[in-house]
């Protein structure tokens, strides 16, 4: 075990002394993030989020004002670029659209929704009617955005409800209205309060984080992990290349004639790749936090996601290393894979705009899972909200690791 | 003297290609044994099997009584390997390289630091210890390469053509260091295709060609095989001339064998003084200009030519 760490730390040291590798690992993703930040207007006060036309199905069975208000929000001009609303009357149809990947979220507003918040019948004040959001797990970013909008509307409604209650109580206490007029006046005031709240603050991509603090969705919080994950693929293939290069340079055979097991050598090399990938991600996260003020979200979630993303990527690096024969071939194929995974996994464009089959295919990339996780965290999610990407990445890493070990066993670490 | 290495009918095949064809030999503790043979003779493959890097196709060997096939990890603790190509991390310093390789041999803590300091002294690189290996000259890199093989004080040191591609001064230093190590009690298995190195260093020599051990013995024993024969080496400006001459000289009176290598022809003769005149006159008849002629006493080159019919440098 000790030799495994020694080999891994040696590789980490070697990578950090390799200037071309450092440029690709750290400088390139950093500069690309910076460049994309300028293009998106992040540094000039622009608001281009890079996310648009999120398909949302609205099923409004509420006969009150609040249900219609919510529908109106999603049809509003302010959200026209961001949201593409579809009105349906049937919940089953809406769910089918989600299942068919035609929509990110179906919002079901049940009958009695308005009544449950602003009851006209005092006897039914305990009745609770909840909004039902049916979400598409393959579109976590869009789901996060829609949830943020719904949260915002609900909080405005709450503002209105409290406003109405306070106003009515004050009016009754002061004898300015009769109790029988309370419901009508309270409702009017509440609706007006909610409208005022909405007017005073346009709906933006804003949600609350686990600790109750506010988290603003930032385009760089989408781009920075995208670039970091894409160049993570470079790092892992470069690590795999180092294994093949050591065969050619003779250092690997030399280790194998020392009292060191093949498994220790392979384990050490893998550990080295993992250490390098994790270090790269953490350095990029730290640098972007300090220099671009990117809010990555829950630190524990970020750390777990960095580790699991690296594991998934290392799995791919190992598979390539176990199949490809020369360092030169691995460099070329590794670079190609980095770019393909970058495009497919959403590092350049939101993968939700991809056709369904490509979107499904993109799940073979650590970029897709990792990016989903980082976006969820940036939108205020916590560790529990990124369980799917974590499990996806772990499964990918373990599966690819096992396959590559089988391939290494068949091939042997050195030819002979 | 006890045998530290015993090799029994070692075979290595790559498909239909037979790289090593049943090699057997012993090395006594404390001696320098050279495996002499041309490139592609099977020297490196033999060392790779003995150092447990490659699994033999058949046969076995034991080092200090421990089988290389059954207990490779135990064998590795007893041996040091200096590979033909530099096997170092060029972006690490000499010191960091020695520390890393020492750790691979299980050295730790104070004993590791002590050995690294001793080896740095031994290879005369104390002043450059903190410089990266990539800044070193070829000779200095070779010294670090050898130093790595000495860190754990191995009982048997394998040196695979350690002087290939270096300047005469560095070569001299390496040959001297091999002798010094041997004087200090280390057993050395040295492979080379340079006859002069085998002659200078070895207590015994094994001549290997095309995967077969064709002769083993002390230099005296081996040269006896060619009797009192002497060697003429004729140097030409054109390699074509050498080829032509080698074929033609085989028929000249007094010539036993002739073989061309690069720009030279090695000619085995009974009596150099007697054969010289007809050989030179034949070159004149053919109109080929001889640049120079060397006359050698019976040596390993002659033995190799005698046994294989070809020059060692081929």
């Amino acid at each position: 075990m000790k030799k495994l760490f020694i080999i891994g730390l040696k590789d980490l040291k070697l990578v950090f002394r390799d200037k071309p590798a450092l440029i690709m690992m750290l400088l390139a993703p950093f500069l690309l993030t910076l460049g994309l930040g300028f293009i998106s207007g992040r540094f000039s006060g622009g608001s281009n989020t890079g996310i648009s036309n999120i398909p949302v199905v609205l099923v409004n069975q509420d006969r009150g004002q609040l249900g219609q208000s919510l529908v109106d929000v999603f049809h509003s001009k302010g959200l026209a670029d961001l949201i593409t609303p579809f009105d349906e009357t049937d919940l089953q149809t809406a769910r089918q659209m989600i299942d068919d990947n035609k929509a990110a979220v179906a919002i079901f507003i049940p009958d009695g929704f308005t009544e449950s918040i602003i009851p006209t019948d005092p006897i039914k004040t305990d009745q609770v009617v909840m909004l039902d959001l049916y979400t598409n797990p393959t579109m976590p970013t869009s789901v996060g955005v829609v949830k943020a909008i719904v949260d915002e509307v609900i909080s405005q409604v709450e503002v209105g409800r409290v406003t109405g209650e306070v106003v009515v109580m004050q009016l009754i206490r002061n004898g300015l209205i009769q109790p029988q007029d309370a419901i009508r006046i309270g409702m009017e005031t509440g609706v007006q309060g909610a409208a005022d709240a909405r007017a005073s603050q346009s709906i933006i991509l804003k949600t609350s984080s686990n600790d109750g603090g506010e988290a603003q969705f930032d385009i760089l919080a989408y781009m920075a992990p995208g670039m970091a994950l894409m160049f993570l693929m470079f790092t892992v293939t470069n690590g795999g290349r180092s294994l093949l290069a050591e065969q050619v340079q003779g250092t690997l055979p030399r280790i194998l004639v020392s009292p060191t097991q093949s498994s220790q050598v392979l384990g050490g090399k893998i550990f080295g790749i993992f250490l390098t990938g994790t270090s790269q991600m953490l350095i990029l996260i730290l640098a972007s936090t300090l220099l671009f003020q990117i809010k990555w979200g829950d630190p524990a979630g970020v750390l777990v996601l960095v580790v699991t993303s690296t594991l998934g990527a290392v799995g791919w690096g190992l598979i390539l290393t176990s199949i490809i024969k020369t360092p030169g071939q691995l460099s070329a194929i590794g670079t190609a894979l980095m770019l393909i995974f970058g495009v497919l996994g959403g590092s350049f464009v939101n993968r939700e705009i991809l056709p369904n089959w490509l979107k499904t295919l993109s799940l073979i990339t650590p970029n897709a899972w990792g990016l989903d996780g980082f976006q969820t965290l940036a939108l205020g999610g916590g560790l529990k909200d990124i369980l799917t990407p974590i499990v996806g990445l772990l499964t990918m890493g373990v599966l690819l690791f096992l396959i590559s070990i089988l391939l290494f066993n068949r091939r042997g670490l050195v030819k002979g | 003297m006890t045998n530290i290495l015993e090799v029994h009918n070692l075979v290595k095949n790559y498909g239909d290609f037979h790289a090593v064809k049943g090699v057997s030999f012993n090395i006594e503790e404390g001696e320098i044994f050279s495996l002499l043979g041309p490139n592609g003779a099977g020297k490196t493959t033999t060392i790779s099997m003995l150092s447990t890097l490659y699994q033999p196709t058949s046969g076995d060997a034991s080092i200090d009584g421990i089988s290389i096939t059954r207990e490779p990890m135990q064998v590795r603790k007893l041996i040091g390997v200096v590979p033909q190509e530099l096997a170092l991390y060029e972006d690490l310093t000499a010191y960091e390289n020695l520390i890393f390789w020492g750790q691979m041999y299980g050295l730790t803590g104070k004993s590791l630091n002590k050995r690294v300091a001793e080896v740095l002294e031994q290879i005369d690189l104390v002043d450059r210890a903190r410089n990266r290996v990539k800044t070193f000259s070829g000779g200095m890199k070779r010294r670090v390469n050898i130093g790595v093989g000495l860190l754990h004080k191995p009982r048997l040191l394998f040196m695979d053509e350690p002087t290939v591609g270096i300047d005469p001064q560095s070569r001299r230093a390496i040959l001297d260091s091999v002798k010094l190590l041997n004087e200090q009690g280390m057993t050395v298995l040295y492979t080379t295709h340079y006859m002069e190195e085998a002659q200078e260093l070895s207590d015994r020599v094994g001549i290997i060609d095309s995967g077969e051990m064709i002769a083993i013995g002390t230099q005296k024993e081996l040269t006896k095989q060619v009797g009192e024969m002497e060697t003429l080496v004729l140097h030409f400006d054109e390699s074509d001339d050498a080829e032509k001459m080698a074929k033609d000289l085989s028929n000249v009176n007094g010539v036993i064998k002739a073989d061309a290598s690069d720009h030279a022809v090695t000619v085995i003769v009974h009596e150099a003084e007697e054969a010289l005149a007809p050989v030179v006159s034949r070159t004149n008849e053919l109109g080929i200009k001889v640049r120079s002629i060397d006359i050698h006493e019976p040596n390993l080159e002659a033995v190799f030519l005698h046994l294989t019919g070809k020059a060692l440098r081929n």
Side-chain angles (χ1 to χ4, degrees):
Chain A
M1 198 66 176
K2 194 179 171 190
K3 285 187 182 174
L4 188 148
F5 284 105
I6 292 167
I7 293 169
L9 290 171
K10 178 264 298 171
D11 276 1
L12 184 68
K13 192 185 279 183
L14 284 173
V15 168
F16 278 89
R17 286 183 183 178
D18 181 355
K19 282 179 192 158
L22 281 184
I23 288 171
M24 281 296 279
M25 281 169 51
L26 300 175
L27 197 59
F30 194 78
L31 290 179
L32 270 169
T33 304
L34 188 68
L36 289 170
F38 276 114
I39 292 167
S40 67
R42 162 62 158 74
F43 299 113
S44 53
S47 59
N48 181 5
T49 61
I51 301 170
S52 60
N53 299 322
I54 300 170
V56 177
V57 198
L58 300 156
V59 183
N60 183 16
Q61 294 182 352
D62 182 37
R63 282 171 288 185
Q65 285 178 305
L66 291 181
Q68 189 53 47
S69 291
L70 186 57
V71 171
D72 290 346
V73 165
F74 280 94
H75 280 277
S76 67
K77 279 184 185 172
L79 294 179
D81 290 338
L82 185 66
I83 302 290
T84 304
F86 299 95
D87 292 316
E88 289 292 341
T89 51
D90 174 21
L91 181 61
Q92 198 58 39
T93 312
R95 288 193 165 196
Q96 193 57 48
M97 285 178 75
I98 299 292
D99 294 341
D100 293 344
N101 254 344
K102 289 177 182 166
V105 182
I107 301 174
F108 176 59
I109 310 165
D111 186 21
F113 174 63
T114 304
E115 185 69 17
S116 75
I117 294 171
I118 310 168
T120 50
D121 182 354
I123 299 164
K124 292 182 181 175
T125 50
D126 292 339
Q127 185 187 7
V128 177
V129 177
M130 296 179 76
L131 279 181
D132 187 5
L133 264 62
Y134 189 59
T135 61
N136 186 336
T138 66
M139 300 181 178
T141 313
S142 297
V143 170
V145 170
V146 173
K147 276 182 177 171
I149 294 169
V150 173
D151 282 350
E152 188 69 20
V153 173
I154 298 294
S155 73
Q156 286 169 6
V157 167
E158 192 59 16
V159 167
R161 191 181 67 79
V162 172
T163 306
E165 271 181 21
V166 170
V167 168
V168 167
M169 289 302 290
Q170 289 297 320
L171 290 172
I172 292 173
R173 272 186 200 156
N174 293 317
L176 294 173
I177 60 167
Q178 296 302 311
Q180 59 268 30
D181 298 326
I183 290 171
R184 180 181 55 79
I185 291 170
M187 198 144 172
E188 285 170 6
T189 312
V191 169
Q192 185 59 46
D196 290 347
R198 198 163 70 217
S200 67
Q201 187 183 14
S202 63
I203 288 175
I204 53 170
L205 303 186
K206 182 181 174 186
T207 185
S208 295
S209 61
N210 273 0
D211 58 7
E214 286 183 340
Q216 196 81 27
F217 184 80
D218 181 350
I219 185 60
L220 280 193
Y222 176 85
M223 287 167 181
M227 290 301 124
L229 286 163
M230 187 172 80
F231 284 90
L232 176 64
M233 284 307 296
F234 164 80
T235 303
V236 297
T237 51
N238 188 52
R241 195 197 63 80
S242 85
L243 180 67
L244 299 183
E246 285 214 44
Q247 285 179 3
V248 176
Q249 289 159 5
T251 42
L252 184 69
R254 191 167 207 171
I255 298 177
L256 291 171
V257 297
S258 72
T260 309
Q261 303 276 8
S262 303
S263 54
Q264 288 175 308
V265 180
L266 188 59
K269 294 299 293 183
I270 295 169
F271 179 60
I273 300 170
F274 173 75
L275 267 186
T276 311
T278 309
S279 308
Q280 176 199 16
M281 291 290 288
L282 291 177
I283 289 170
L284 286 171
I285 288 170
L286 190 67
S288 59
T289 305
L290 293 174
L291 296 171
F292 302 148
Q293 281 79 48
I294 293 176
K295 290 186 173 60
W296 289 77
D298 178 21
V302 169
L303 191 64
V304 172
L305 207 52
V306 164
V307 170
T308 48
S309 298
T310 311
L311 282 174
V314 168
W316 276 108
L318 287 178
I319 282 285
L320 288 187
T321 312
S322 63
I323 297 168
I324 294 167
K325 287 179 181 162
T326 69
Q329 285 173 347
L330 186 54
S331 285
I333 294 172
T335 306
L337 193 78
M338 174 185 91
L339 292 171
I340 292 167
F341 276 19
V343 172
L344 204 58
S347 291
F348 291 107
V349 288
N350 193 315
R351 67 188 184 90
E352 285 167 21
I353 65 166
L354 299 175
N356 282 339
W357 68 272
L358 260 185
K359 215 182 296 175
T360 307
L361 184 66
S362 72
L363 294 177
I364 65 165
T365 71
N367 310 49
W369 294 102
L371 210 43
D372 285 351
F374 281 118
Q375 286 168 47
T376 304
L377 292 174
L379 285 165
L383 197 53
K384 66 179 185 330
D385 301 313
I386 54 167
L387 283 179
T388 308
I390 287 171
V391 171
L393 287 163
L394 276 178
T395 309
M396 179 187 296
V398 170
L399 208 64
L400 294 175
F401 174 79
L402 292 175
I403 296 169
S404 61
I405 293 298
L406 286 175
L407 292 171
F408 274 122
N409 277 341
R410 276 177 57 182
R411 166 177 160 168
L413 275 184
V414 288
K415 208 176 174 183
Chain B
M1 279 284 185
T2 53
N3 288 333
I4 188 159
L5 173 69
E6 293 183 355
V7 183
H8 307 289
N9 206 21
L10 214 54
V11 172
K12 184 68 185 175
N13 298 333
Y14 295 102
D16 292 337
F17 176 67
H18 307 296
V20 176
K21 303 168 186 168
V23 163
S24 297
F25 63 97
N26 300 327
I27 298 181
E28 290 178 359
E29 184 136 34
E31 74 172 339
I32 298 179
F33 182 93
S34 288
L35 266 183
L36 176 68
N39 291 330
K43 303 186 296 291
T44 300
T45 308
T46 303
I47 278 205
S48 297
M49 285 189 284
L50 295 177
S51 60
T52 74
L53 183 63
Y54 297 170
Q55 185 77 16
T57 305
S58 66
D60 202 352
S62 61
I63 293 170
D64 202 25
I66 302 169
S67 163
I68 60 163
T69 54
R70 289 192 298 276
E71 295 176 89
M73 289 300 278
Q74 292 305 313
V75 165
R76 290 174 192 177
K77 291 175 187 168
L78 301 174
I79 61 169
V81 180
V82 179
Q84 185 173 347
E85 302 295 332
L86 294 168
L88 301 167
Y89 297 103
E90 298 229 335
D91 273 321
L92 297 185
T93 65
Y95 175 81
E96 288 168 336
N97 262 289
L98 292 173
I99 289 284
F100 172 77
W101 290 108
Q103 288 171 324
M104 288 299 102
Y105 278 94
L107 300 176
T108 52
K110 282 181 184 169
S111 63
L112 172 64
N113 289 327
K114 187 168 170 259
R115 268 310 284 159
V116 168
E118 285 171 0
V119 168
L120 281 168
E121 290 259 2
Q122 215 169 345
I123 59 176
D124 199 20
L125 281 173
V126 175
D127 294 343
R128 300 290 304 273
R130 303 287 171 174
N131 293 125
R132 291 191 193 178
V133 169
K134 69 178 176 189
T135 65
F136 287 3
S137 68
M140 290 161 78
K141 287 177 183 174
R142 285 273 168 199
R143 273 143 61 192
V144 181
N145 202 37
I146 292 173
V148 167
L150 306 176
L151 277 165
H152 60 297
K153 294 186 176 172
R155 297 270 306 278
L156 173 60
L157 182 65
F158 295 129
M159 300 185 88
D160 190 11
E161 307 220 33
T163 60
V164 168
I166 57 169
D167 59 277
Q169 199 183 345
S170 299
R171 173 186 285 196
R172 182 74 263 150
I174 287 173
L175 295 179
D176 288 344
S177 71
V178 174
K179 285 188 216 169
L180 187 66
L181 287 168
N182 183 244
E183 281 167 20
Q184 290 166 352
M186 194 172 285
T187 309
V188 181
L189 169 53
Y190 190 95
T191 77
T192 182
H193 63 271
Y194 297 124
M195 176 205 64
E196 303 83 358
E197 289 185 2
Q199 286 188 164
E200 181 182 340
L201 291 175
S202 319
D203 296 305
R204 289 190 306 133
V205 177
I207 297 179
I208 187 167
D209 183 49
S210 302
E212 288 178 291
M213 190 72 86
I214 55 175
I216 299 177
T218 61
Q219 229 183 111
K220 210 172 176 181
E221 289 166 346
L222 291 171
T223 49
K224 259 187 190 173
Q225 295 188 22
V226 289
E228 295 303 311
M229 288 180 283
E230 290 177 315
T231 309
L232 298 177
V233 182
L234 286 74
H235 299 276
F236 301 92
D237 287 328
E238 302 294 331
S239 60
D240 287 353
D241 291 344
E243 295 283 342
K244 203 191 292 179
M245 279 309 302
K247 283 178 190 163
D248 198 79
L249 286 176
S250 302
N251 304 318
V252 171
N253 202 17
V255 172
I256 299 165
K257 269 176 189 165
D259 190 56
S261 60
D262 201 9
H263 287 66
V265 173
T266 306
V267 187
I268 305 290
V269 294
H270 285 297
E271 208 45 73
E273 277 181 35
E274 285 177 14
L276 194 56
V279 166
V280 172
S281 105
R282 186 64 191 145
T283 57
N284 288 337
E285 281 168 28
L286 291 171
I288 295 171
K289 193 181 169 191
V290 181
R291 187 153 47 86
S292 63
I293 299 175
D294 300 330
I295 300 172
H296 297 293
E297 296 281 304
N299 60 21
L300 295 174
E301 177 83 42
V303 175
F304 192 82
L305 185 61
H306 173 69
L307 293 172
T308 66
K310 59 189 181 190
L312 187 56
R313 274 165 285 190
N314 271 345

